[in-house]
Amino acid sequence: TFTNQIQKAFQEPRLLIVTDPRVDHQPIREASYVNIPTIAICDTDSPLRYVDIAIPANNRAIHSIGLVWWFLARAVLRLRGSISAAQPWDVMVDLYFYRDPEEVEKEE
């Protein structure tokens, strides 16, 4: 957990980003105890308690979740200055989609 300072490798996170606030309710609640800002990808029926910033998106579909994480990663790199806004990003969006290893083996 976030608040377990007994662990040797304990580090205080500065930001929490979750895909589904309904599933990740425990880390969201623990982040609220220590005032860590929370960003959540929210569907229309997602609870927003303790969520600071809600990104409206379909958090049920695999491709929608992958696309939102791709956009977030690209935005972070642009803010850090690693890539420019003018050049296209060469990372394909399908790298952010979860693929079951068993299905990948069947395809090969």
Side-chain angles (χ1 to χ4, degrees):
T1 62
F2 289 133
T3 56
N4 188 0
Q5 293 143 359
I6 298 171
Q7 296 179 353
K8 187 175 184 178
F10 174 76
Q11 290 184 347
E12 189 77 37
R14 292 175 43 198
L15 177 69
L16 177 66
I17 304 175
V18 297
T19 301
D20 189 357
R22 188 173 307 281
V23 175
D24 299 323
H25 62 90
Q26 185 66 31
I28 291 173
R29 178 173 288 153
E30 289 184 14
S32 73
Y33 294 157
V34 290
N35 293 327
I36 297 173
T38 303
I39 299 174
I41 302 171
C42 296
D43 208 353
T44 56
D45 63 343
S46 297
L48 297 177
R49 187 171 190 173
Y50 306 123
V51 173
D52 297 310
I53 297 174
I55 300 172
N58 181 4
N59 63 4
R60 304 273 189 259
I62 295 170
H63 292 104
S64 176
I65 294 169
L67 185 63
V68 170
W69 280 106
W70 182 83
F71 277 125
L72 282 173
R74 184 167 186 230
V76 167
L77 289 175
R78 287 172 73 184
L79 289 171
R80 288 182 178 174
S82 300
I83 61 172
S84 73
Q87 75 182 36
W89 197 28
D90 59 347
V91 177
M92 300 299 293
V93 70
D94 62 347
L95 293 175
Y96 286 83
F97 300 153
Y98 174 76
R99 288 180 275 186
D100 190 19
E102 294 175 1
E103 290 181 13
V104 173
E105 289 177 7
K106 289 179 183 177
E107 290 177 3
E108 294 174 355

